[in-house]
Amino acid sequence: MIKLKKLLQPYFLVYFLFFFINGALESFYPMYLEKLKFTGKEIGFAFTVIYFSQIFLPALTSTLTNKFKARKVVTTGLLIILSLSLIIYNQKYLLGVVVLGIIIHMARPIFNFSLGNDILVSVDSEERGKYLSIRDLFLFGGMSIGIFVFSILVKNNGLKFSFNIWNLLYIVLILYIIKHFQHNKHNEEIEDDSGKLKTVIKEKNLLVVIVINVLLTFSYACTKFVPILAMNIGFKIDEFMKYQSLFIIINALMAYKLADHFAKKNKRKVYLTDIAVDVLPFTLLALNLSKVGFIIAFLILQLKDIFSPVSFSYVMDLFEEKNITTVLGLLESINNCVGLIAPLFIGFLWDIIGIKIFYFATAITILTAVVAFIRLPIEEKKL
């Protein structure tokens, strides 16, 4: 068992604090779009622009982190986000709301590809699965509690007051990072970036992972309409966010408890299961508009993340250790490029066929699972 003192180390608590704040804001954004009565095309456009704004952000953040302290990069980024959020909020027209969405969604890649990757590469390869399960316990726990508290705040005080107060919590996170993260854990080992991209491109598993991620981006774009479907069925914002909060914390606890069990399994099988299990909730969402059917589907969508620590560890094991941070930045940038098309395309489909977009998500998920099954290596060894 992991002792409490180890669990409370700063590199776990910082994830709790960040996702307590950011997770609530990201969950709130799609419902904010629906509350303002934007169409599916407009919502798709909003997320397309958000993805476009993030194409180069992961790679840029990784590069800056390699040259400067991760602490400086993340705190500077969060200060900028805090300032812009307080200035731009309370927009009702599409352009202003899209800019607000860009600001909200900038925080996660800045955090993940600066301090997040700095922490991650400091963990031994053999320990990453266990580390990720503990990290995700704090990550999802923070997100769950944050969504729950934010939903109560919105219900009692309205959106504007709640949003502004919530953003001010970034100050607490910034002060915590400044106090507990004094230097990059791996910056002494970082090689010159010149020529590294050419080496990464030669990685034999890179192409199939890119194809899988591209396909998953389209199915993931469909999940952006799950909160909107909830409101159409009759859920109130605070009611839906409470369900979301509950399911996320259940997911976090299950992921932590099952981490050792999954770690002993074939990582490839866990990864394939992680992909394929989405077929069930997507099909249920397409078939059933009742609240009970929706809750069952939404619960499965949330709980399938119990596989995430092992799945992420498996993907990292597909690449050479020295290339991992570059690969992660490259994959994220490609995902954001595809994100220019995916949400806009799904938004158009939503206006035309409504909840039947989840049939499309089911088909994409099946195709992704087949590609992964055929093309990903069977042997689990560091390549």
Side-chain angles (χ1 to χ4, degrees):
M1 293 293 292
I2 303 296
K3 293 182 179 180
L4 181 62
K5 184 177 180 180
K6 187 173 182 180
L7 284 177
L8 296 180
Q9 287 184 22
Y11 53 74
F12 290 125
L13 288 179
V14 73
Y15 274 94
F16 179 91
L17 289 172
F18 176 79
F19 283 92
F20 176 87
I21 302 167
N22 182 254
L25 294 175
E26 286 192 2
S27 298
F28 147 80
Y29 184 69
M31 290 179 283
Y32 182 57
L33 294 174
E34 173 67 14
K35 187 175 178 64
L36 294 177
K37 305 299 181 183
F38 289 122
T39 66
K41 296 184 184 69
E42 290 170 329
I43 293 170
F45 171 77
F47 282 105
T48 291
V49 175
I50 289 170
Y51 277 115
F52 178 78
S53 70
Q54 295 183 359
I55 288 176
F56 302 108
L57 188 58
L60 175 62
T61 304
S62 295
T63 299
L64 290 174
T65 302
N66 288 344
K67 293 183 177 180
F68 304 101
K69 292 181 179 181
R71 181 186 65 173
K72 288 184 179 179
V73 175
V74 71
T75 53
T76 301
L78 291 178
L79 279 172
I80 293 172
I81 288 168
L82 169 61
S83 302
L84 292 177
S85 295
L86 296 176
I87 293 172
I88 203 70
Y89 183 65
N90 204 29
Q91 299 294 316
K92 295 184 179 180
Y93 297 103
L94 182 60
L95 181 59
V97 174
V98 169
V99 173
L100 177 64
I102 291 172
I103 295 167
I104 291 173
H105 289 82
M106 280 175 58
R108 190 184 294 227
I110 289 176
F111 176 84
N112 283 341
F113 290 91
S114 57
L115 190 61
N117 277 357
D118 191 51
I119 295 171
L120 186 60
V121 298
S122 69
V123 180
D124 291 338
S125 175
E126 295 79 8
E127 299 294 327
R128 281 198 186 117
K130 183 63 177 177
Y131 160 73
L132 289 169
S133 68
I134 300 172
R135 184 204 70 177
D136 285 357
L137 178 65
F138 283 83
L139 185 159
F140 289 120
M143 187 183 297
S144 174
I145 296 171
I147 290 171
F148 178 76
V149 175
F150 186 69
S151 67
I152 295 175
L153 197 63
V154 170
K155 182 178 181 179
N156 294 331
N157 300 282
L159 287 174
K160 183 175 181 180
F161 175 83
S162 302
F163 183 84
N164 289 333
I165 289 297
W166 206 257
N167 269 286
L168 291 174
L169 293 176
Y170 274 126
I171 296 175
V172 177
L173 174 61
I174 290 168
L175 293 175
Y176 185 82
I177 292 172
I178 290 174
K179 179 179 179 181
H180 291 284
F181 295 89
Q182 300 298 321
H183 63 280
N184 285 28
K185 297 179 183 298
H186 72 288
N187 59 348
E188 298 87 356
E189 303 173 6
I190 295 297
E191 300 175 5
D192 185 1
D193 281 342
S194 60
K196 177 172 278 193
L197 185 58
K198 292 181 180 179
T199 303
V200 168
I201 291 174
K202 293 178 182 178
E203 289 267 13
K204 66 178 183 179
N205 292 308
L206 181 63
L207 181 58
V208 66
V209 173
I210 289 174
V211 171
I212 290 170
N213 281 6
V214 167
L215 292 172
L216 289 176
T217 299
F218 279 90
S219 59
Y220 176 73
C222 294
T223 66
K224 294 294 184 182
F225 287 84
V226 171
I228 297 167
L229 175 59
M231 294 181 69
N232 289 343
I233 292 174
F235 287 95
K236 296 179 180 179
I237 291 179
D238 63 296
E239 181 185 8
F240 173 76
M241 292 185 78
K242 285 176 182 176
Y243 274 113
Q244 189 176 24
S245 170
L246 174 63
F247 294 163
I248 288 174
I249 195 64
I250 292 173
N251 166 65
L253 292 171
M254 288 181 64
Y256 176 65
K257 289 293 185 181
L258 294 173
D260 286 335
H261 173 73
F262 287 142
K264 296 173 183 177
K265 300 292 183 180
N266 183 293
K267 287 185 181 180
R268 180 177 181 271
K269 290 181 180 179
V270 174
Y271 180 72
L272 293 174
T273 303
D274 191 7
I275 295 173
V277 75
D278 278 340
V279 170
L280 180 57
F282 284 148
T283 303
L284 287 174
L285 288 172
L287 288 173
N288 198 324
L289 270 176
S290 71
K291 279 192 172 184
V292 174
F294 175 87
I295 290 173
I296 293 172
F298 187 55
L299 174 62
I300 297 171
L301 273 178
Q302 294 294 319
L303 293 187
K304 58 93 62 176
D305 284 339
I306 62 176
F307 304 113
S308 294
V310 176
S311 293
F312 188 52
S313 178
Y314 171 72
V315 172
M316 293 181 69
D317 287 347
L318 294 175
F319 304 100
E320 292 186 20
E321 192 76 20
K322 64 181 181 180
N323 293 331
I324 286 176
T325 55
T326 305
V327 167
L328 293 178
L330 177 63
L331 290 175
E332 185 70 13
S333 292
I334 292 172
N335 289 347
N336 289 335
C337 287
V338 179
L340 296 177
I341 304 170
L344 191 59
F345 175 71
I346 299 302
F348 274 100
L349 282 184
W350 175 265
D351 282 342
I352 297 171
I353 62 175
I355 64 169
K356 290 184 174 64
I357 64 165
F358 295 109
Y359 282 130
F360 174 78
T362 300
I364 290 293
T365 301
I366 293 172
L367 176 60
T368 307
V370 171
V371 171
F373 179 78
I374 294 173
R375 300 298 301 173
L376 287 177
I378 296 176
E379 295 183 12
E380 288 190 26
K381 63 181 181 180
K382 198 68 179 175
L383 300 172

